[in-house]
Amino acid sequence: MNSSEKSCLICDNPLYGRADKTTCSDACRVRLHRQRQNDALAEIQEDKMPLSSQRHTPLDLPWLTQGLPPARPATVQTRWEQEPENQEEAADRKRTSEVALAKEMHQHYVKVVEPFLQKEQQRLSAPQLRRMLRFSIDAYEDYKQHPHLAEEGSRAQKCQKDLRGIISLLQDTLQEAKDSWLSDTGRYELNTKWRKQLRDRLLG
């Protein structure tokens, strides 16, 4: 076939007649029409596909990202994070925290005072007294966290004073046990008023 001759777009047979002719027969013309319709439909479907499923070259990517809405945050803030806490809520939260801490500090007090009262007037060895003394000192240090210690005349201040008194008395009794070369023991005795105060404050 001469290179200047045109051929059918479907079957590649030579074309004769008009210069704008594209198919050699009605059958090829119908097939060409359907092929063009299918191609157009495929282009429309590709346009509707999400960006993530379309194929693009690296040069296309900057253009794809332009104009996109900002990404939503990964987490949603709660109402407490979005709205500032008002003064009443803050005060309630503080009171709740202080009550819990005060109860915890009272437990430290109880763990020292109860055995201290139980062992009154008993002959205690030096190792026993050392353990009681060490435990009392630890409780005294922990009790410094009590939220009401700054309140003059508060129960917390009185309990802290009790712990100091217990430490002082145990130190004296331990020294007595060390000085006793016969029994190596010591004992302590409380006055009636302090004993009653300790028992009352144990109740919280």
Side-chain angles (χ1 to χ4, degrees):
M1 183 176 64
N2 192 332
S3 60
S4 62
E5 293 181 351
K6 295 177 62 177
S7 59
C8 177
L9 296 178
I10 298 300
C11 65
D12 209 28
N13 287 332
L15 296 177
Y16 303 100
R18 298 195 315 270
D20 60 347
K21 196 173 183 181
T22 56
T23 56
C24 63
S25 64
D26 290 340
C28 288
R29 180 171 53 80
V30 172
R31 288 180 60 188
L32 178 62
H33 177 70
R34 289 178 178 174
Q35 181 177 323
R36 287 176 175 173
Q37 280 186 328
N38 291 336
D39 291 344
L41 181 61
E43 290 180 3
I44 293 174
Q45 290 177 342
E46 183 177 355
D47 290 339
K48 291 182 178 180
M49 291 172 63
L51 293 176
S52 59
S53 62
Q54 296 183 24
R55 295 182 179 179
H56 299 280
T57 64
L59 294 177
D60 294 331
L61 295 179
W63 299 100
L64 291 174
T65 57
Q66 289 184 1
L68 294 178
R72 298 182 65 181
T75 58
V76 179
Q77 288 183 323
T78 63
R79 183 173 66 87
W80 302 107
E81 294 172 327
Q82 294 172 347
E83 301 176 2
E85 190 176 40
N86 60 43
Q87 293 183 353
E88 185 177 351
E89 290 173 342
D92 288 342
R93 191 183 299 274
K94 182 181 179 182
R95 280 193 295 269
T96 302
S97 176
E98 288 181 350
V99 169
L101 183 58
K103 288 182 178 179
E104 182 182 349
M105 294 301 101
H106 184 68
Q107 289 303 312
H108 289 293
Y109 177 83
V110 170
K111 289 178 181 179
V112 170
V113 175
E114 278 187 344
F116 179 74
L117 289 174
Q118 292 171 359
K119 296 182 184 301
E120 183 189 3
Q121 296 186 350
Q122 295 182 19
R123 302 301 301 185
L124 302 173
S125 66
Q128 286 178 301
L129 290 166
R130 287 193 192 95
R131 284 194 297 271
M132 291 177 64
L133 179 59
R134 184 166 57 249
F135 191 74
S136 300
I137 292 174
D138 290 342
Y140 176 78
E141 292 299 323
D142 291 336
Y143 203 83
K144 291 179 179 179
Q145 303 176 53
H146 200 292
H148 303 309
L149 272 182
E151 300 173 10
E152 190 65 32
S154 65
R155 191 182 191 89
Q157 286 189 348
K158 294 175 182 178
C159 289
Q160 189 185 44
K161 183 179 179 181
D162 289 339
L163 292 174
R164 282 199 302 266
I166 290 172
I167 291 172
S168 178
L169 185 55
L170 288 175
Q171 287 173 334
D172 293 342
T173 308
L174 178 59
Q175 188 61 47
E176 175 191 336
K178 291 178 180 179
D179 294 341
S180 176
W181 58 275
L182 287 176
S183 62
D184 193 29
T185 60
R187 71 183 183 91
Y188 54 86
E189 184 175 355
L190 311 179
N191 62 56
T192 304
K193 181 180 178 180
W194 192 29
R195 186 186 303 112
K196 183 179 183 303
Q197 288 175 343
L198 290 176
R199 288 173 177 169
D200 289 343
R201 284 196 272 270
L202 275 178
L203 302 177

